[in-house]
Amino acid sequence: MNRRRLVRVPASTANLGPGYDVLAAALAIELELEVEETGDFSVECDVPGVPCDRSNLCVRAFERLRPADGLSFRIRSAIPAAAGLGSSAAAIVAGLCAADHLYELDAPLFEHAAELEGHPDNVAAALLGGFVICAGSGEEPVRFDPPAGLEGVLVTPGAEIPTSEARAAMPVEVPLIDAVHNVGHASLLVLGLASGDFSLIGRGLRDRLHQPRRRSLYPASMDLLESADELGAVGATISGAGPTVLLWSHWEQTGALVDRLSTEAGGCEIRRVTFSPGGADVREL
């Protein structure tokens, strides 16, 4: 009987305002990867433009641990590509988890995923779920559960922002006052998330490090972010490298927020989303 594995991995949103390259969260939008021993190598994917050969990111991650000869890969993803929602991280984590489970390797998955992706925050959230803190190179991420009642609304403009451009917009050094601001507000944010204090969460989301310096890449996204209070959101952040905006909300206000955004963000994709407490999940079929 052919061995089969089904891997589900959540999307992720990184930075969370002041937590540049440190904070991230899993979102309840999934990539699915099915791997089966068929005797022939093949790749199927429902995402337009994704390569269906060994250059596919799921396959490349799988082959980090084991050759993919004789295996069929079937990929289905609801995570938008190049939108700042961790589509690459999800693909990498899915491939690694499939190989690790199929061959019972007990491999250091976070270490491999971070090296392949280049950024630990998205892969930590995709692997572990919930909210994560990545304190630095060589350190294991710390995970904690989303607070009760916290939801989000994703607003995605049509334009794509390459991560390389977003990275290039960041200077090598920043003013001390901006660094101190972000340390303080990231601390408020983590305290608010851990205690379920939505007032602290809203205060903690304010960033002066990366979002203002990338305004020219996504001016419409920044305009929407800055109107979060008027729209009735707890706050807003640029998701990862953008251009998607994540508006944070208490579930009781999310419906009204979506209604306002349908007027204020015309032409954008608007999606209500929950924070996922679960990370990558592997099932034997």
Side-chain angles (χ1 to χ4, degrees):
M1 183 175 178
N2 295 344
R3 290 186 296 174
R4 295 168 63 198
R5 298 293 186 272
L6 178 65
V7 188
R8 292 189 174 96
V9 183
S12 53
T13 180
N15 301 328
L16 310 187
Y20 182 69
D21 277 359
V22 172
L23 301 178
L27 300 173
I29 308 170
E30 289 186 335
L31 176 146
E32 287 189 354
L33 168 65
E34 184 179 340
V35 180
E36 181 178 5
E37 291 179 324
T38 60
D40 295 306
F41 172 78
S42 65
V43 181
E44 300 174 14
C45 184
D46 68 357
V47 181
V50 171
C52 290
D53 55 26
R54 288 185 188 270
S55 67
N56 181 282
L57 199 50
C58 288
V59 179
R60 285 168 52 199
F62 187 99
E63 293 202 307
R64 173 92 172 197
L65 301 179
R66 280 291 188 275
D69 301 319
L71 299 174
S72 293
F73 293 76
R74 288 179 284 276
I75 304 160
R76 298 172 292 276
S77 182
I79 306 174
L85 293 170
S87 59
S88 296
I92 289 169
V93 168
L96 289 170
C97 286
D100 185 67
H101 199 278
L102 192 64
Y103 297 106
E104 301 179 359
L105 302 175
D106 195 26
L109 297 181
F110 172 69
E111 178 182 324
H112 285 297
E115 288 180 5
L116 285 168
E117 167 63 14
H119 310 112
D121 42 12
N122 282 105
V123 295
L127 188 62
L128 303 175
F131 283 80
V132 295
I133 304 170
C134 298
S137 177
E139 296 191 38
E140 287 294 312
V142 176
R143 178 206 172 277
F144 59 98
D145 284 329
L150 182 63
E151 289 189 338
V153 181
L154 298 171
V155 181
T156 305
E160 296 182 357
I161 306 296
T163 301
S164 58
E165 289 188 24
R167 285 272 159 187
M170 290 297 296
V172 176
E173 297 180 351
V174 297
L176 179 61
I177 190 172
D178 291 343
V180 171
H181 174 279
N182 272 43
V183 170
H185 285 76
S187 302
L188 288 175
L189 176 58
V190 170
L191 178 59
L193 290 168
S195 63
D197 187 325
F198 280 63
S199 176
L200 281 181
I201 293 172
R203 288 174 57 194
L205 291 174
R206 298 168 188 164
D207 161 61
R208 282 170 50 175
L209 189 64
H210 66 102
Q211 294 171 162
R213 290 177 170 85
R214 292 169 167 173
R215 172 181 279 278
S216 62
L217 297 177
Y218 36 63
S221 297
M222 286 298 293
D223 289 344
L224 182 61
L225 181 149
E226 290 163 357
S227 64
D229 289 345
E230 299 170 20
L231 293 167
V234 172
T237 52
I238 300 295
S239 185
T244 296
V245 180
L246 172 63
L247 290 106
W248 301 53
S249 174
H250 188 281
W251 72 269
E252 292 179 331
Q253 280 77 52
T254 308
L257 176 59
V258 171
D259 290 341
R260 294 189 192 99
L261 287 167
S262 64
T263 300
E264 297 293 329
C268 296
E269 180 182 347
I270 300 170
R271 179 172 187 163
R272 185 172 183 167
V273 69
T274 56
F275 291 91
S276 175
D281 175 73
V282 187
R283 287 195 296 139
E284 182 176 351
L285 299 177

